[in-house]
Amino acid sequence: MPIPPDTDRLDRFLLPQAGVRGVRVHLRDAWAPILGSDDYPPAIAATLGQAAAAAALFTANAKVDGRLSVQLRGHGPLSALVTECSADGSLRGLARFDHAAKPPADLRALAGAGAMLAITVENPGRGREPLRYQGLVEIASASLAGAFEGYFAQSEQLPTRLLLAVDAEVCAGLMLQKLPGDAGDDDGWNRASILFDTLRPEELRDWSAQALLQRLFAGESAQLLEGRALHFGCSCSRERVAAVLASLGRDEAMAATEQSGQAEVRCEFCGQRYRFTPAEIDGLFTVPPASIAAPDRLQ
Ligand SMILES: [Zn+2]
């Protein structure tokens, strides 16, 4: 099946009789550079794509003026994973893994015992510090979709269903959520959930948003709401890399120039290289400390 034309998009919809809201995310051009950020074995690539689709899905129902990230800290073959979706629709992500191990498909084995999953929203605050909201969940499911369903049931008390589909070309996600309050008829959530269970990953991959609503929720008078485009984008910049170098301290930052005469920092998300000469590094430590921006995570 060809990839539907409405890819690299997020679309929201409503099942009014059932009292259920939904989001569909479909990524192709936005997925390629994320998948290409390392030589990922299939199980890691699948988890990374699921997390990328999920980060985009979660921006639909949360107030995100800055960015939303999905982060995993593991103790197995998969040691770390981060995907981010910003308010402007830009996505990025990467995973760190043991290159020598053969990664298992089950997420619990892949991430190891005690692995944690975090969903974080960072919105611009009034002062310099962003407003940060974070939800944490321990991974107790074989898949990321199951872990996220558990998260929403536990922390938001909102019945939620998630299907995430990933291959080398596309990653896609569908999320159904019961509307807060008592919207919809008594059987609404149950009915939508049964229909949801009939959807196969390849259908989520191959169908347009319109086709999905017509075929999956025929009889529910589904309403397609406004959506938006998504694209790959990285928030790294020379200023942010300079702030990270400054935070290392002069000796360590200077030591990075010793081998090639320049410090070179490569952004792991997008591959962009930033080079600093010893004189430029020197400059980082001669300006008043107050004017150096605090490092914002890695970059
Ligand atoms: Zn970058």
Side-chain angles (χ1 to χ4, degrees):
M1 280 285 283
I3 293 166
D6 60 344
T7 184
D8 294 309
R9 277 190 66 78
L10 176 154
D11 284 290
R12 299 165 59 236
F13 60 90
L14 205 59
L15 309 177
Q17 291 154 14
V20 170
R21 62 188 177 187
V23 196
R24 174 240 194 208
V25 159
H26 200 284
L27 306 168
R28 180 189 58 189
D29 292 353
W31 168 227
I34 297 174
L35 179 61
S37 62
D38 204 338
D39 189 10
Y40 296 114
I44 306 278
T47 306
L48 181 62
Q50 289 164 16
L57 283 174
F58 299 157
T59 63
N61 295 337
K63 184 172 158 43
V64 180
D65 301 322
R67 62 182 171 190
L68 183 147
S69 67
V70 166
Q71 281 167 284
L72 183 153
R73 289 248 168 272
H75 310 284
L78 175 61
S79 53
L81 180 151
V82 58
T83 58
E84 292 176 352
C85 185
S86 302
D88 67 357
S90 64
L91 276 161
R92 66 176 192 170
L94 60 82
R96 292 208 172 91
F97 62 101
D98 178 357
H99 286 71
K102 187 176 184 305
D106 187 303
L107 183 62
R108 290 163 294 193
L110 188 62
M116 296 297 289
L117 199 56
I119 299 174
T120 309
V121 176
E122 280 173 281
N123 285 334
R126 288 207 186 135
R128 281 179 47 169
E129 287 297 307
L131 292 170
R132 216 158 165 268
Y133 311 89
Q134 188 171 64
L136 287 169
V137 67
E138 198 169 332
I139 293 172
S141 295
S143 71
L144 265 189
F148 287 128
E149 286 181 355
Y151 168 81
F152 283 106
Q154 203 181 82
S155 68
E156 315 254 323
Q157 315 224 314
L158 278 181
T160 300
R161 300 301 311 276
L162 266 176
L163 182 68
L164 303 167
V166 179
D167 65 22
E169 272 185 305
V170 164
C171 70
L174 182 71
M175 177 164 78
L176 283 193
Q177 208 160 51
K178 191 174 183 325
L179 282 170
D182 53 4
D185 55 62
D186 288 348
D187 184 46
W189 175 250
N190 186 36
R191 211 166 55 238
S193 208
I194 289 169
L195 293 171
F196 178 90
D197 280 333
T198 66
L199 182 68
R200 291 177 292 142
E202 53 272 29
E203 293 168 336
L204 177 58
R205 178 200 191 277
D206 295 343
W207 292 351
S208 68
Q210 198 65 257
L212 193 138
L213 293 189
Q214 283 165 3
R215 293 171 194 171
L216 191 61
F217 299 115
E220 290 290 338
S221 317
Q223 296 168 4
L224 195 56
L225 307 174
E226 86 284 10
R228 59 196 176 94
L230 299 171
H231 58 271
F232 176 79
C234 192
S235 51
C236 69
S237 67
R238 190 169 175 83
E239 290 68 33
R240 286 186 175 194
V241 175
V244 172
L245 285 171
S247 74
L248 294 177
R250 185 192 194 94
D251 290 350
E252 210 181 313
M254 275 298 183
T257 67
E258 269 165 19
Q259 225 173 10
S260 65
Q262 288 188 12
E264 184 179 278
V265 179
R266 179 182 173 273
C267 174
E268 291 181 76
F269 287 99
C270 70
Q272 174 77 40
R273 286 169 201 276
Y274 298 93
R275 293 184 182 87
F276 290 79
T277 63
E280 286 169 329
I281 289 182
D282 203 41
L284 297 176
F285 295 94
T286 52
V287 290
S291 68
I292 298 172
D296 180 7
R297 281 200 246 160
L298 259 181
Q299 276 149 32

